Amino acid sequence: MQSISILGATGSIGVSTLDVVARHPDRYRVFALSAHSRVAELAEQCQRFRPQVAVVGSAEAAAQLQTLLRAAGLSTEVAYGPQALCDIASADGCDMVMAAIVGAAGLASTLAAARAGKKILLANKEALVISGQLLMDAVQAHGASLLPIDSEHNAIFQCLPAGYTRSMTAHGVEKILLTASGGPFLHRDVNTLDQVTVEEAVAHPKWVMGRKISVDSATMMNKGLEVIEAHWLFGAPADKIEVVIHPQSVIHSMVSYADGSVLAQLGNPDMRTPIANALAYPERIASGVAALDLAQIAQLSFLPPDYQRFPCLKLAYDALRAGGTLAAILNAANEVAVQAFLDGRIGFGKIAPLIQEVMSAIPNRQADDITALLEQDRQARDHAEALISR
């Protein structure tokens, strides 16, 4: 029996993780759950899965959760704040951690899990985007394991040889092919993107996701962040990571080998597949996802990305090639820009120019500790906010 802490339990990844866990009560139990502010939903999850600890974002939310849990007769311990997240990620009673908190907010707890030598199921791509070297060093130094949950990176993981050592040349890997759906605006007139509404941007044609990641998919910044994530996970330089638009979202990614072979992982677009793969690795368990019917799909198509339509993807490649803290600056500016768009403060077409301006304004530095990285993150956010207010 393995125990799991799920950071971001009420989000789409957290809910899918609990669905898979519930299918295997003989294998897994929930040690801890966290949510930022969705107290009622977290209380319902606690009633079903009986975690030892539940963590929320504020003292007020903790008081509300405590009241709901006691009324339900539960003795679950309630805690709040960033340190509490780190505590449940590194606790002795926890074997593995689902790191599914969106954005920079998930960085400290993911690092805590790595330093405690946990098995980390990484759904928080920003942890690697912001602090790739720091996180990978912590994983290696403390004997932790890092299994990717993003459908694309999990697909690559499945297509790489067992025992892959983050050395492409040592394993005959020629290129990593990251597939992308193209989002809701793949065929929309580029000249009309300034008129995109929030409702249009969050209506992803294939995946059910949160609002922030849905906007990232519409701009293809999500794919750009995945390029940076793939670099750290698999030791691939920027020119060995190719993005391929695949609207059907059936092939989740591919690996090209020196002998001309290309291996692909296929499946219905459902996050329970990579979650089940990572939970049980190296075994295979039921995920609840229906088997793929290739005859029904009938056709698979592929397109190269258009940087005029998706300038955020190019910005991510630029940040990866530049190194230093530019990826952290990119991520921070994007988080502020996307939230401003969701709040109606800027238009969709202003997201990429805002990010580019912040990347040009904040000096790119070398940072080898979390304090320096978070300072760069803060400066980028402050500058982005100043530009928006202007």
Side-chain angles (χ1 to χ4, degrees):
M1 179 75 72
Q2 291 185 299
S3 60
I4 183 170
S5 290
I6 302 176
L7 311 183
T10 59
S12 60
I13 295 294
V15 170
S16 293
T17 303
L18 288 171
D19 181 271
V20 177
V21 166
R23 294 171 187 276
H24 303 278
D26 57 325
R27 298 180 66 115
Y28 308 110
R29 68 178 182 88
V30 175
F31 172 75
L33 298 173
S34 88
H36 184 65
S37 58
R38 296 178 182 174
V39 174
E41 294 171 50
L42 184 61
E44 291 176 4
Q45 292 177 337
C46 288
Q47 289 184 53
R48 182 177 181 190
F49 292 95
R50 306 295 174 112
Q52 188 172 322
V53 188
V55 174
V56 287
S58 67
E60 181 183 3
Q64 294 172 3
L65 181 61
Q66 183 94 340
T67 299
L68 291 173
L69 295 184
R70 296 303 170 259
L74 297 183
S75 59
T76 299
E77 177 188 343
V78 177
Y80 68 91
Q83 184 56 51
L85 289 174
C86 293
D87 291 342
I88 62 172
S90 57
D92 290 340
C94 160
D95 298 310
M96 55 183 163
V97 176
M98 170 57 77
I101 297 173
V102 175
L107 173 57
S109 52
T110 305
L111 275 170
R115 289 166 176 160
K118 303 298 183 184
K119 175 182 177 181
I120 304 168
L121 315 184
L122 187 68
N124 172 269
K125 63 175 63 65
E126 291 86 356
L128 277 174
V129 170
I130 297 168
S131 61
Q133 191 66 61
L134 194 64
L135 180 56
M136 297 308 295
D137 287 349
V139 166
Q140 183 173 6
H142 298 280
S145 58
L146 191 64
L147 298 172
I149 296 299
D150 267 351
S151 60
E152 295 83 358
H153 301 88
N154 185 265
I156 293 163
F157 177 72
Q158 293 190 52
C159 292
L160 287 169
Y164 182 77
T165 58
R166 296 181 68 237
S167 170
M168 296 178 70
T169 54
H171 297 273
V173 175
E174 184 63 30
K175 189 181 289 186
I176 285 171
L177 301 167
L178 273 175
T179 57
S181 70
F185 307 132
L186 178 59
H187 301 295
R188 179 163 172 158
D189 184 345
V190 173
N191 296 318
T192 70
L193 291 178
D194 281 338
Q195 285 79 54
V196 164
T197 66
V198 170
E199 290 71 25
E200 290 172 328
V202 300
H204 195 280
K206 291 294 181 181
W207 297 92
V208 177
M209 304 181 292
R211 285 161 67 84
K212 192 268 182 184
I213 194 172
S214 294
V215 175
D216 281 349
S217 181
T219 65
M220 276 191 75
M221 178 58 88
N222 190 50
K223 200 56 50 180
L225 298 179
E226 289 175 5
V227 168
I228 299 171
E229 185 182 6
H231 162 73
W232 290 112
L233 283 170
F234 308 118
D239 62 353
K240 294 293 186 179
I241 305 171
E242 180 180 338
V243 172
V244 180
I245 294 179
H246 169 52
Q248 294 84 8
S249 295
V250 169
I251 296 177
H252 298 301
S253 274
M254 297 169 276
V255 174
S256 174
Y257 285 87
D259 63 2
S261 299
V262 177
L263 301 187
Q265 188 267 334
L266 289 74
N268 285 313
D270 191 314
M271 288 306 298
R272 291 177 297 174
T273 296
I275 289 167
N277 174 264
L279 271 173
Y281 182 81
E283 298 179 58
R284 298 273 182 172
I285 59 172
S287 66
V289 180
L292 191 64
D293 186 341
L294 288 172
Q296 184 178 14
I297 293 165
Q299 184 177 9
L300 302 175
S301 58
F302 306 92
L303 297 164
D306 175 1
Y307 286 142
Q308 183 184 0
R309 181 180 299 276
F310 302 116
C312 284
L313 178 59
K314 182 180 183 302
L315 292 177
Y317 269 106
D318 291 344
L320 175 57
R321 290 188 172 101
T325 56
L326 198 57
I329 293 167
L330 165 96
N331 179 73
N334 179 65
E335 288 190 18
V336 172
V338 170
Q339 190 59 54
F341 167 68
L342 290 171
D343 293 341
R345 299 171 64 201
I346 64 171
F348 183 81
K350 293 290 188 285
I351 294 175
L354 179 71
I355 296 166
Q356 186 170 22
E357 191 165 350
V358 175
M359 289 171 67
S360 298
I362 305 299
N364 183 18
R365 307 185 189 283
Q366 296 298 321
D368 55 6
D369 62 70
I370 190 170
T371 302
L373 286 166
L374 292 179
E375 175 58 23
Q376 289 288 86
D377 177 273
R378 183 196 63 77
Q379 289 183 26
R381 289 174 192 274
D382 288 349
H383 192 73
E385 286 287 359
L387 291 172
I388 293 165
S389 298
R390 240 177 262 166

